[in-house]
Amino acid sequence: MNAAEVMTRPVVTVEPTTTIRAASALLVDHGFSALPVVEPGGRLVGIVSGIDLLVHSIGQGGGALTVGQVMNTAVISAPLTATPTELAGAFLGNKLRCLPIVDARGRVVGVVSRSDLLRVLTPEDDVLAARVDRLLHAYSRTRRWTVEVAGGRVAVNGPFDDVAERRVVAALVRTVPGVVGVALGGVPADATP
């Protein structure tokens, strides 16, 4: 796996001539933490973060300022061939929130966010366990059950009040996309009386 398989595209970019008001609107609209700044040909020349825009919007009204006046030109990027380990190193070593991905000519072709990288580094069973645990906690308002997942098969262990509650818990767990089987207290849910 490499950056080309992890990155988000198409990438939203701005040019140095973009006003900080327009750049701020893009950040808000898309929920990004930063935007790559590119020349008209798409070559990466900087990055502008929400903090950069906020500081300059408050300090000077931001009306006439452009991205080129507030962007960071010491931008870190990664090639399409970067591995998840290399991407993680870039994030951790530089305290980044997003990382532009560039082709051999330096043109921005995608962006990797921390959540993009976590998504590929976190095993699916762990994600499924977290979803089931969150659902069961919302149902019972307690943490009386433990959840383990292997190959999409969910095991819920802990005390159940009665057979009806076992059935409710089994039904709730089956509503989570990706669940392929349910066991309650070591007994397959289909075998529960």
Side-chain angles (χ1 to χ4, degrees):
M1 179 170 295
N2 59 32
E5 298 170 84
V6 176
M7 69 185 186
T8 299
R9 63 178 137 185
V11 63
V12 176
T13 62
V14 291
E15 293 184 356
T17 57
T18 304
T19 65
I20 66 170
R21 173 178 257 159
S24 296
L26 282 173
L27 282 179
V28 170
D29 188 40
H30 293 283
F32 298 148
S33 59
L35 293 168
V37 183
V38 298
E39 294 177 335
R43 193 176 67 77
L44 183 65
V45 294
I47 194 156
V48 64
S49 71
I51 294 295
D52 297 329
L53 297 173
L54 184 61
V55 165
H56 289 89
S57 292
I58 290 173
Q60 301 176 5
L65 289 177
T66 65
V67 167
Q69 294 170 293
V70 302
M71 71 181 183
N72 182 352
T73 57
V75 64
I76 296 167
S77 63
L80 285 163
T81 57
T83 65
T85 302
E86 292 167 333
L87 295 171
F91 275 99
L92 296 172
N94 300 289
K95 298 180 182 178
L96 302 175
R97 296 183 75 183
C98 70
L99 183 62
I101 305 301
V102 296
D103 65 13
R105 291 183 165 172
R107 293 178 301 202
V108 177
V109 293
V111 172
V112 174
S113 69
R114 288 184 292 194
S115 59
D116 292 333
L117 191 54
L118 279 172
R119 196 172 300 112
V120 299
L121 295 176
T122 304
E124 273 301 311
D125 283 345
D126 291 354
V127 173
L128 193 54
R131 288 179 182 154
V132 170
D133 184 63
R134 190 170 52 250
L135 179 65
L136 293 179
H137 181 258
Y139 163 71
S140 72
R141 301 279 186 232
T142 65
R143 295 272 184 213
R144 60 184 166 147
W145 296 301
T146 60
V147 177
E148 296 176 17
V149 179
R153 299 186 187 291
V154 178
V156 179
N157 295 298
F160 295 91
D161 291 339
D162 53 31
V163 172
E165 185 175 65
R166 290 176 70 87
R167 288 184 180 142
V168 168
V169 167
L172 283 172
V173 171
R174 285 188 189 103
T175 66
V176 178
V179 170
V180 297
V182 179
L184 305 174
V187 178
D190 295 336
T192 303

